[in-house]
Amino acid sequence: MRRALCLLFLAALFGGCRSGSEDETALRPVDADALLADLEALDARVVVLNVWATWCAPCRREFPDYVRYQREVEGEGIAVRFLSVDALDVHDRVQTFLQEHGAGGPHYVSSSGESDIVEAIAYARGALWSHGIPVTFVFDGEGELKDFWEGAANYDLLRQRIDAVLAAPPAGAAAAR
């Protein structure tokens, strides 16, 4: 019993010693359930999930606009997260790309290295996904899908779509009148 308590103490002591920046830049392999749980746990009015891959030219073109938007809305209750569907053996390439663009984290990668995670998210939230990337999901603070699109977006389109979600009355507001 005493040994178990000592081990628990050491795990708590050393488990909490990671720096925030290390945690922020680490790739987090996730499946759909874990990712949706992480996104729903965020204290945000809106959560934007951009799905991309290093081999996807439209993804690479739009990425700087998403990072710009992420930086501009920091602290406004809008969380922007990125999910890579790159193969498991190129996670070093994913990490390098994220660092080069200065994307804020945490950074998610498909635990299977495939896009089945996107299909599961789309199915769980009622989106009709044609299996193309980039793809963007926009959730409200309760985890409800409010917008979804496939194909590259530029900064202006991204801002317009998120502003529309923010301006929409909350679900059930019309019924309460």
Side-chain angles (χ1 to χ4, degrees):
M1 177 72 161
R2 187 176 203 190
R3 179 185 164 131
L5 287 174
C6 286
L7 288 174
L8 282 173
F9 173 77
L10 289 172
L13 178 68
F14 292 108
C17 289
R18 282 183 270 160
S19 71
S21 62
E22 179 182 77
D23 215 30
E24 189 81 357
T25 61
L27 296 178
R28 294 184 186 180
V30 291
D31 62 13
D33 292 334
L35 177 59
L36 288 172
D38 266 13
L39 298 180
E40 288 172 13
L42 292 171
D43 185 22
R45 294 182 300 152
V46 172
V47 177
V48 179
L49 176 65
N50 178 250
V51 181
W52 67 285
T54 58
W55 49 262
C56 167
C59 300
R60 290 192 316 269
R61 275 194 307 273
E62 78 171 0
F63 204 87
D65 287 335
Y66 276 78
V67 172
R68 174 183 166 201
Y69 183 76
Q70 181 185 47
R71 287 181 184 149
E72 288 182 5
V73 299
E74 188 173 346
E76 295 181 20
I78 302 169
V80 179
R81 297 294 186 261
F82 300 101
L83 169 66
S84 167
V85 291
D86 279 285
L88 297 173
D89 62 346
V90 297
H91 282 181
D92 57 331
R93 192 177 320 152
V94 173
Q95 187 74 47
T96 299
F97 183 87
L98 291 166
Q99 289 170 343
E100 287 172 351
H101 287 83
H107 304 296
Y108 299 101
V109 292
S110 170
S111 59
S112 67
E114 297 182 12
S115 61
D116 57 342
I117 185 173
V118 184
E119 186 169 7
I121 292 168
Y123 180 77
R125 295 302 189 260
L128 296 175
W129 179 54
S130 73
H131 294 84
I133 62 169
V135 61
T136 301
F137 296 91
V138 182
F139 305 97
D140 67 11
E142 306 299 316
E144 184 179 330
L145 184 65
K146 293 297 183 180
D147 200 356
F148 158 84
W149 64 88
E150 294 180 67
N154 61 31
Y155 176 85
D156 293 332
L157 178 64
L158 176 61
R159 185 159 244 352
Q160 177 185 13
R161 303 269 312 238
I162 304 307
D163 286 350
V165 170
L166 289 167
R177 292 184 196 172

